[in-house]
Amino acid sequence: MSERQLTMSPLSFVHVVDDDRAVRESLGDLLRSMDYQVMLHRSATEFLNVELPDAPACLVLDVRLPGTSGLELQAYLTSLDIALPVILVTGFGDIPIAVKGMKGGAIDFLTKPIRDQDLLDAVAAAIRVDQSRRHEIAQTAALRERYALLSPRERQVMALVASGLMNKQIASELRISEVTVKMHRGSAMRKLGAKSVARLARIAEILNIPR
């Protein structure tokens, strides 16, 4: 199995993986009625053979599938760092399996027969989770671009500010004047759009800058 390829799309997608055609198509019709872009798959292998659109999405996944099971597919996606929110679908006797899936990172599980509103609520929540994740990734990428604009000295000062040192202590550490420390700190804050020292420290944490 190879890494998944991404294609661009501004829409929200729901992938449904279920080997029962009637269930699969019924769920698809319901989700399409709510304007989701729906992709139906009868097996884990079929799902893995399609490209994942680069858009908010979630996976509605039956735990019992021929060949690769739902939990095996969930674990495989996790191993590839594909953070697609998973909603597990189970039969009445499969609840222990669903609990295992929840421990593996699934955000919800639904028991067949699935109530329409339960599915819609779960999918809406899953899409919000993916939208939030994507927003955080975009924000982090923007911060990395800004951080790249900092001079080596500004990065040093930022790291020491984030570690909790006062200007006087930073000046001593770097063997420069306190005025120079303030100058570099101010410049770093402007470049990063940080309006406070607390925000500067938070940005350092987001970017995993060693303190």
Side-chain angles (χ1 to χ4, degrees):
M1 298 181 183
S2 59
E3 287 190 24
R4 314 303 303 283
Q5 299 297 315
L6 297 179
T7 55
M8 296 300 293
S9 173
L11 305 171
S12 295
F13 283 75
V14 181
H15 296 269
V16 177
V17 183
D18 196 307
D19 62 320
D20 186 321
R21 180 177 178 180
V23 171
R24 194 167 63 239
E25 293 185 351
S26 175
L27 297 181
D29 289 343
L30 174 61
L31 292 165
R32 288 190 188 99
S33 74
M34 301 303 293
D35 294 329
Y36 289 112
Q37 301 299 305
V38 182
M39 301 180 74
L40 304 179
H41 317 277
R42 58 187 171 185
S43 67
T45 300
E46 188 174 294
F47 168 75
L48 290 169
N49 284 333
V50 302
E51 295 185 352
L52 291 179
D54 185 15
C58 71
L59 173 61
V60 179
L61 178 62
D62 190 356
V63 297
R64 291 193 181 275
L65 296 170
T68 302
S69 73
L71 293 190
E72 288 172 336
L73 174 57
Q74 179 190 10
Y76 179 69
L77 295 176
T78 299
S79 74
L80 293 182
D81 290 327
I82 297 177
L84 188 64
V86 175
I87 300 165
L88 296 175
V89 175
T90 73
F92 179 75
D94 293 329
I95 291 178
I97 297 176
V99 171
K100 182 178 179 181
M102 295 290 288
K103 291 180 179 178
I107 67 169
D108 203 349
F109 75 89
L110 304 174
T111 304
K112 295 179 180 179
I114 303 171
R115 292 180 61 250
D116 289 356
Q117 194 59 51
D118 289 345
L119 175 66
L120 295 177
D121 289 346
V123 166
I127 293 295
R128 286 195 296 272
V129 167
D130 203 42
Q131 287 173 329
S132 177
R133 177 186 66 84
R134 288 171 175 275
H135 180 65
E136 289 178 6
I137 290 173
Q139 281 192 320
T140 300
L143 287 174
R144 290 195 185 284
E145 289 181 1
R146 293 183 179 185
Y147 181 72
L149 301 176
L150 270 59
S151 69
R153 182 63 86 186
E154 288 168 350
R155 294 182 187 187
Q156 285 181 315
V157 170
M158 176 182 176
L160 293 171
V161 168
S163 71
L165 296 185
M166 305 296 289
N167 290 336
K168 185 175 182 179
Q169 294 170 309
I170 295 172
S172 176
E173 178 77 18
L174 299 179
R175 297 183 179 180
I176 58 179
S177 71
E178 193 170 345
V179 171
T180 302
V181 170
K182 291 179 179 179
M183 179 188 70
H184 288 308
R185 187 190 71 182
S187 179
M189 291 176 68
R190 284 192 298 274
K191 290 178 181 179
L192 290 168
K195 298 186 181 297
S196 67
V197 171
R199 176 57 182 166
L200 189 66
R202 174 59 182 150
I203 291 173
E205 182 180 354
I206 292 171
L207 298 182
N208 292 317
I209 296 171
R211 298 190 176 188

